[in-house]
Amino acid sequence: MVNKKNSSNHSSRFTMEKVIPQSWKEKAKQWLKNPQTRGLLTVAFLFFSTIIVVLMVQGTYRFFSKAAPDKVGLSFVPQTASVTPTGPQQLKLWLTPTKALGFINVEVNFDKTLLKLNQAVSILDTKYSQVIKLSTPDEANADGKIIITLGLDPNQLNAVTAQAFALANLSFIANTANPNLTSNVTFNTTNAQLVATDTAVLTPTAINAILSINVTTGAKLYFSAPVPANPQTIQQNFKINVLADTANKDVTGVDTKITFDIKKLQIVKIDAVANNGFKSYPVKVFDNATGVVQISANIGAGVTALAVKGSNIA
């Protein structure tokens, strides 16, 4: 009796847990063996596979079809130069567009207490003969602002291309007798308006110029031309050497502090130059948060340490 009761109980549990799922499995097997069922599954597989492929293709198309924004690079050549009250410096204004330009409105700013536009702006590209606004020297020197607004000659529509070109010459002299000053000549990109011949509005990017004012003779520190040459592009590294001229004097060390605009530049690294006479660099640091570079170099200690003399010492 005990065995039978136990057998009965096991039979009951088996019915609840095993027999019912087994009946569904049998039904499923029979359903899958049906030729019509297999046909429906094949059609469904092809249908959903097609949808997935279409979505993938559309997604890929959307990703690769995003065009880069149309831009115009604004720059000066040269980027660095020197001026005095009687020694002018001419800056050539260059444009590097991604599309052919039909309308140009550029604003150049300078410190009128330090610099002066000493002659009329000269337009170099005659295709932009429709002069809408061109600041005179008197206007520019009154507010430190040069406005150049030009339209393309309609007869030259097919002559312009998306290539770099020199638009104008700007000639500056020093407006102060104070020695060893620097001043920037900058583009006001907020007020710039540059429209392509297909009516697309282009975004301006700018590389400004730095003018040294009334540089006195004697020992000095200065920068080499950048490599690669201007204009520079975003996320592209370039190199500039810090050069020394000892004015034919013996020097045992050099200390310099350099500042830069952290919104436009950041320092990647500072490399010491070999075989320039300076053996030790106790300070060689930069801070991209504050825009400061500090470099200190000396000839080292000992009887073999020799003073450095010369120019263009990197």
Side-chain angles (χ1 to χ4, degrees), residues 54-267:
V54 169
L55 290 174
M56 290 176 66
V57 170
Q58 287 180 342
T60 303
Y61 174 78
R62 287 196 298 270
F63 179 80
F64 287 103
S65 66
K66 290 182 177 179
D70 296 314
K71 296 182 178 181
V72 177
L74 306 174
S75 61
F76 295 110
V77 176
Q79 185 189 358
T80 59
S82 299
V83 294
T84 66
T86 58
Q89 174 61 53
Q90 197 168 80
L91 300 181
K92 198 178 297 292
L93 193 163
W94 278 79
L95 282 76
T96 307
T98 57
K99 285 188 173 183
L101 289 173
F103 174 81
I104 299 169
N105 179 65
V106 176
E107 180 181 315
V108 175
N109 298 149
F110 62 94
D111 187 338
K112 64 181 182 179
T113 65
L114 300 178
L115 297 172
K116 183 178 181 180
L117 189 68
N118 72 310
Q119 64 183 41
V121 175
S122 173
I123 302 301
L124 301 176
D125 196 318
T126 57
K127 292 189 293 295
Y128 296 93
S129 59
Q130 308 298 308
V131 179
I132 302 168
K133 172 64 180 177
L134 189 60
S135 296
T136 66
D138 287 342
E139 291 172 334
N141 294 328
D143 56 12
K145 183 188 303 181
I146 303 170
I147 298 176
I148 303 172
T149 309
L150 306 172
L152 179 67
D153 182 341
N155 296 322
Q156 300 291 327
L157 183 63
N158 297 323
V160 293
T161 59
Q163 293 182 342
F165 64 96
L167 178 68
N169 274 334
L170 312 179
S171 183
F172 291 94
I173 57 173
N175 197 31
T176 176
N178 294 332
N180 300 318
L181 301 175
T182 59
S183 186
N184 295 336
V185 180
T186 63
F187 292 100
N188 188 336
T189 55
T190 301
N191 291 344
Q193 294 175 310
L194 300 131
V195 183
T197 53
D198 65 359
T199 71
V201 178
L202 282 66
T203 301
T205 60
I207 299 176
N208 301 316
I210 303 173
L211 295 183
S212 299
I213 301 171
N214 302 327
V215 177
T216 59
T217 57
K220 62 182 179 180
L221 295 174
Y222 54 102
F223 296 111
S224 70
V227 178
N230 290 324
Q232 307 299 327
T233 58
I234 297 175
Q235 301 301 325
Q236 172 186 294
N237 291 349
F238 64 95
K239 179 180 178 181
I240 293 179
N241 288 332
V242 180
L243 304 176
D245 185 342
T246 71
N248 206 34
K249 303 290 185 180
D250 289 336
V251 299
T252 58
V254 175
D255 296 307
T256 182
K257 181 179 180 180
I258 303 166
T259 60
F260 61 93
D261 188 340
I262 62 174
K263 296 179 180 179
K264 299 176 181 177
L265 298 172
Q266 70 174 10
I267 307 298

Side-chain angles (χ1 to χ4, degrees), residues 43-54:
V43 171
F45 174 79
L46 294 174
F47 175 76
F48 286 108
S49 297
T50 302
I51 291 176
I52 292 172
V53 170
V54 169

